[in-house]
Amino acid sequence: MPKPPLLLAYAHPDDETFGSAGTAAHYAALGHPVYLICATRGEVGQISDPALATPETLGAVREAELRCAAEAMGVEEVIFLDYRDSGMVDTAPNADPRAFINIPAEEVITKLVGIIRRIRPAVIITFDPTGGYGHPDHLAIYRHTLAAFHAAANATQFPALGTPHQASRLFFAAITKSFFQAWGEEMQKVGVEAEQDDPIMEQMRQLGYEDDQIDLSLDVSEYLERKWTAFQCHRTQFSADDPMNRLYLAARRRLFTVEHYLLAYPPLDLGAKLTDLFEGLS
Ligand SMILES: [Zn+2]
């Protein structure tokens, strides 16, 4: 009997690797078809080495990087929504009419409903309501995926897009405050102090969840090699001397073996915890 599909919905190439590479690899290895939606090609992200890309080619290069990571994770299909990276908050790319944040909700939700009704996932994962650190595209894919999760199940909405489908669960990928605590300690151990002053890291630390807010902590220690391969695919985002390299090698067992999720739908009994995304689902 085929295993039920898993659908991940993120905004940029590399979001999936930070939040869910171990999860994707785990369920792919168990035989679940894993699908990955990426809203943009990360066109205004970093270029770690000018030999790898120019601002004009970055989108195409990052598409290839994502396909490389998807292969490492065992993802069945990568689906681009074909919008443009909106850039960090209050930067010039926010104003580009092609930017993901400027696309009417109805248009994006229509695309997502069509994908959900085609793939018919049992479980969908997207960003949490903070978008990790408030990146405008992260907040947008969170908002639209939440809307599409419900709209796909509603026969009165988008009747031309196929048979309605109610996915059984919606999860938000979450980062804990204790992760940032451990991250900071390990960064110091490998000799990186500057990270403490990074405004994005500071914001993520503030927005992180308490351990007891987490509904599911998934042990992905068996998939650390695959996760590392996926990280290394995103070469434009990590230079060869990026502290992440040293950190991963020095502290991967402490920092990267568990991926955390909040259950957004349906509500969980108070105090209950899940041990598996598909727990209790046939
Ligand atoms: Zn991102």
Side-chain angles (χ1 to χ4, degrees), residues 72-272:
M73 295 182 283
V75 165
E76 176 112 355
E77 183 185 347
V78 179
I79 305 154
F80 285 96
L81 299 186
D82 295 326
Y83 299 115
R84 185 176 162 80
D85 187 346
S86 311
M88 297 287 188
V89 71
D90 294 333
T91 57
N94 293 175
D96 191 310
R98 298 164 298 168
F100 185 40
I101 55 171
N102 297 326
I103 308 300
E106 180 81 3
E107 181 185 322
V108 182
I109 294 166
T110 302
K111 276 194 189 183
L112 292 171
V113 166
I115 294 164
I116 292 170
R117 289 185 183 170
R118 171 172 70 86
I119 290 169
R120 313 189 78 74
V123 172
I124 300 179
I125 293 173
T126 189
F127 274 108
D128 74 291
T130 76
Y133 60 93
H135 190 296
D137 288 330
H138 295 186
L139 296 173
I141 194 70
Y142 148 74
R143 209 168 47 241
H144 297 319
T145 303
L146 179 62
F149 175 87
H150 294 294
N154 187 335
T156 66
Q157 292 191 40
F158 307 103
L161 294 180
T163 311
H165 175 71
Q166 174 68 70
S168 300
R169 288 189 183 130
L170 176 66
F171 286 95
F172 298 146
I175 312 179
T176 60
K177 287 192 193 304
S178 57
F179 170 83
F180 289 112
Q181 178 68 31
W183 174 283
E185 289 167 16
E186 295 297 333
M187 274 290 188
Q188 281 193 335
K189 278 192 213 164
V190 298
V192 182
E193 308 276 345
E195 193 80 18
Q196 301 294 331
D197 302 322
D198 183 322
I200 290 179
M201 282 300 288
E202 185 48 42
Q203 195 169 11
M204 289 176 84
R205 260 192 290 275
Q206 305 266 340
L207 293 171
Y209 292 89
E210 300 293 344
D211 290 349
D212 63 6
Q213 291 178 283
I214 298 299
D215 296 313
L216 168 62
S217 296
L218 192 71
D219 182 342
V220 298
S221 47
E222 274 186 62
Y223 303 96
L224 282 179
E225 285 303 322
R226 283 172 177 266
K227 192 167 172 171
W228 183 228
T229 304
F231 265 119
Q232 290 179 310
C233 287
H234 294 291
R235 288 179 64 200
T236 55
Q237 306 307 297
F238 304 103
S239 60
D241 59 355
D242 193 291
M244 181 67 125
N245 293 321
R246 275 180 289 156
L247 192 66
Y248 201 93
L249 296 172
R252 61 172 122 189
R253 296 257 156 228
R254 182 173 182 203
L255 295 178
F256 298 105
T257 56
V258 182
E259 292 173 355
H260 300 288
Y261 297 96
L262 308 172
L263 181 62
Y265 176 91
L268 200 58
D269 289 341
L270 198 65

Side-chain angles (χ1 to χ4, degrees), residues 10-16 18 62 85 127 131 133 135 137-138:
Y10 284 112
H12 312 110
D14 84 358
D15 293 339
E16 80 299 330
F18 276 110
R62 293 191 72 184
D85 187 346
F127 274 108
Y133 60 93
H135 190 296
D137 288 330
H138 295 186

